[in-house]
Amino acid sequence: MTLKLHTIICSTRPGRVGPPVANWFHELAMLDGKFDAVLVDLAEFNLPVYDEPEHPIRQNYRHAHTKKWAASVNAADAYVFVTPEYNFGPPPSLLNALNYVYKEWNYKPAGIVSYGGVSGGMRSALIEKLTLTTLKMMPMVEAVTVQNVSSHLDDNENFLPGEHHKNSGATLLNELYKWAQALKTMRE
């Protein structure tokens, strides 16, 4: 059975840059062929600020939006979070989505494709990794960092990766695949 990789667009704001960057990485993952690659847009789940009455560890979800999100998270064997940087941290939409479920994240590898200005979202990625480890995920050391993301968009808002983005993406996919295979045994 092929392992499933979810590439998650983490920003939900109007005018976001996440979709073109995520589309590029998703296409890279599909061409790579190691995973059954799925593109997930967090905005489509329309999650309100966390509103479940019980702790997510119980998985006793009451709301349809939570059940839909939990099913999506549970379906994946690995994740790539396409993450901007907001005030040196991850977007609130991502932190909210991470907190909605717990066991569905456990024992799965996670990669980060960060983007932003001169830092390329690296500060956001570092903070994100703290939350990922608390959810028993294994964040990869390998990553894709897109500095000055607006300079990598064409007139049609398509992401134009540099050679280092392509190489970093391929390395990230290789590591994710190794970890996804290994961690699958922990979930079984």
Side-chain angles (χ1 to χ4, degrees), residues 17-18 31 33 39-40 47 66 68 73 77-78 84-85 108 114 129 142 148 162 168 170:
V17 179
L31 288 172
L39 184 61
V40 176
L47 294 171
T66 309
K68 182 179 172 188
V73 173
D77 298 293
E85 183 171 295
K108 297 177 184 178
S114 65
K129 286 179 180 185
E142 296 73 16
N148 300 312
S168 296

Side-chain angles (χ1 to χ4, degrees), residues 1-61:
M1 180 182 241
T2 306
L3 296 169
K4 188 175 280 191
L5 171 68
H6 282 190
T7 298
I8 302 174
I9 304 168
C10 298
S11 175
T12 59
R13 72 173 183 79
R16 61 200 172 136
V17 179
V21 177
N23 286 331
W24 162 74
F25 189 86
H26 175 64
E27 288 175 18
L28 185 71
M30 288 192 319
L31 288 172
D32 183 71
K34 289 181 185 70
F35 290 99
D36 175 11
V38 177
L39 184 61
V40 176
D41 188 348
L42 191 52
E44 292 176 4
F45 289 87
N46 200 27
L47 294 171
V49 174
Y50 186 72
D51 66 347
E52 285 291 333
E54 293 190 47
H55 193 284
I57 201 166
R58 294 183 183 195
Q59 295 179 299
N60 187 20
Y61 307 127

Side-chain angles (χ1 to χ4, degrees), residues 78-138:
Y79 311 96
V80 168
F81 296 100
V82 179
T83 308
E85 183 171 295
Y86 293 178
N87 299 315
F88 289 14
S93 52
L94 172 59
L95 294 175
N96 187 51
L98 288 170
N99 288 328
Y100 253 93
V101 296
Y102 178 74
K103 289 183 179 179
E104 292 85 351
W105 297 117
N106 293 177
Y107 308 114
K108 297 177 184 178
I112 298 174
V113 174
S114 65
Y115 61 91
V118 71
S119 78
M122 288 190 297
R123 296 169 295 212
S124 172
L126 286 172
I127 293 170
E128 188 176 319
K129 286 179 180 185
L130 293 172
T131 303
L132 298 180
T133 58
T134 303
L135 295 167
K136 296 185 181 179
M137 281 192 271
M138 181 61 200

